[in-house]
Amino acid sequence: MNEAPPFLEIADAFADAVEPAPFPKAVLRFRNQRWAEAVGLGHLPDEDWARQFSRFDPLLGNLPRPLAMRYHGHQFGVYNPDLGDGRGFLFAQVRDEADKLYDLGTKGSGQTPWSRSGDGRLTLKGGVREVLAATYLEALGVKTSKLFSLVETGEQLQRSDEPSPTRSAVMVRLSETHIRIGTFQRVMALGRGEDLERLVAHVVGHYHPDAEHNDTSKSCVALAESLSRDVGQMIGQWMAAGFVHGVMNTDNFNLTGETFDFGPYRFLPKSDPNFVAAYFDSQGLYRFGRQPGQGLWALQQFAAALSPLAETDDLAQALGHYESVYQQSFRDHTFKLLGIAPTVLEHDVDFLASFYGWMTKSGAPWHQVFFDWFCGGESAARARRSPNAEYYSASDFGSVQGRLSNFEPDRPERLQLEYFQRETPCTLLYDEIEALWAKIADTDDWSAFEAKLQEMEEMRLAYGP
């Protein structure tokens, strides 16, 4: 970067300088070459890449030392002031060709002041799972952080939720920011008004410039509205993609509305509002059908954190945009995945009610339905040859098919792409992940992992802009 990394403007109050863990080895398992080229790091040979993203020597002109961020957050509805980056840090800030700012943040890079009793490490399986999830979401057009690098680090870890000892890794994700709702909650809880003002000014200046006002209270209200739109758009995309985040704690919502910091995620095998991703979510707080409401709840905590600087009623009104943005995003993304052109929102939402109602009642495989009916009525013949064909021949699908066929196909030429010549779509279900991981764990066979990434690339091209 030609400028000082912007986060240094506020780092003194929001982060602690830390040292990366020394690892016994560095074996490159994944590099995101497309995004590496976008931010000017695509030239690194694999050997140098593995060294850079396991040792974390400072990039030229960038952060002199890694920074572990401080934050609080609600975890499964309970406020926790004992949080922060416990196994990761902000390593660098970079820009793409359009001068857009991105963070390079780590996971599994060693202990920090916020590690508590943890070892600061990441299992290789956890890294593989996040590479797959982020790549799959991006391919579906969901706004998400990107997995940038995964390096195996040669340690043996003990974990209660994996057969142990298990292999270790360190990963790097590319995100527009690692500042999160919990960052705001922390300074509000500590009563640090000046730091809260600095944080608002920093986030507005670098990530939400449309929210900038001379009056801080107006900036706060505009920022709350802007973030509510971003989160509403993101969760509308999740719901159309059948994605269950699993841990929608307020420290897992960043300030640019990207899918961020997910671990026990799942993708729906079929429509089920009560589907739970995290085995430890015994109450189903973050089940699939609760995600839209949970997004609004997190935004309400953000508004509460801004309340020392703005009127509560004004902040509440700013969040009023969330529902309409969510609804439009859910419509837009469903239609994108079905390859049909939207019409009037009210009419389209009525169709979605019947479409998803049938999905839930029939139990048809989620992703196969979208794949079979891409471009609506133009895919009817192909759908009849689908593994799902029995679902479409049932009488209760007739009205859904009739309504679906009335929409204009959106860019039907995409049906000629390689991806749509398959019989089944690219999916990322739990059993698939377990099967490809078993090959890695048992015989160090990465072929299924590489094949899945190639499938996702074909899917990205099929659903891209």
Side-chain angles (χ1 to χ4, degrees), residues 234-257:
M234 175 185 73
I235 294 182
Q237 293 173 345
W238 287 5
M239 299 302 285
F243 175 68
V244 192
H245 183 283
V247 188
M248 293 178 68
N249 298 333
T250 55
D251 55 299
N252 289 340
F253 283 82
N254 77 1
L255 263 288
T256 49

Side-chain angles (χ1 to χ4, degrees), residues 1-3 34-41 93-103 146 148 174 176:
M1 297 180 72
N2 295 325
E3 59 173 334
R34 182 164 55 86
W35 277 99
E37 291 175 0
V39 298
L41 295 172
Q93 292 189 293
V94 294
R95 292 188 182 273
D96 66 9
E97 304 98 320
D99 204 38
K100 186 171 183 177
L101 182 65
Y102 289 92
D103 287 0
K146 283 76 176 174
F148 195 73
L174 183 75
E176 293 177 12

Side-chain angles (χ1 to χ4, degrees), residues 69-89:
M69 293 192 177
R70 309 169 189 165
Y71 45 84
H72 290 181
H74 281 88
Q75 299 191 311
F76 290 88
V78 178
Y79 193 78
N80 188 348
D82 192 20
L83 294 177
D85 283 338
R87 54 174 174 167
F89 48 63

Side-chain angles (χ1 to χ4, degrees), residues 54-126:
S54 62
R55 290 176 44 177
F56 298 104
D57 295 328
L59 295 179
L60 183 65
N62 219 289
L63 294 179
R65 291 180 67 188
L67 297 171
M69 293 192 177
R70 309 169 189 165
Y71 45 84
H72 290 181
H74 281 88
Q75 299 191 311
F76 290 88
V78 178
Y79 193 78
N80 188 348
D82 192 20
L83 294 177
D85 283 338
R87 54 174 174 167
F89 48 63
L90 176 64
F91 167 58
Q93 292 189 293
V94 294
R95 292 188 182 273
D96 66 9
E97 304 98 320
D99 204 38
K100 186 171 183 177
L101 182 65
Y102 289 92
D103 287 0
L104 290 174
T106 68
K107 190 172 184 179
S109 49
Q111 292 179 312
T112 77
W114 307 104
S115 298
R116 295 177 282 176
S117 59
D119 60 13
R121 267 55 171 180
L122 171 71
T123 68
L124 180 61
K125 182 180 182 181

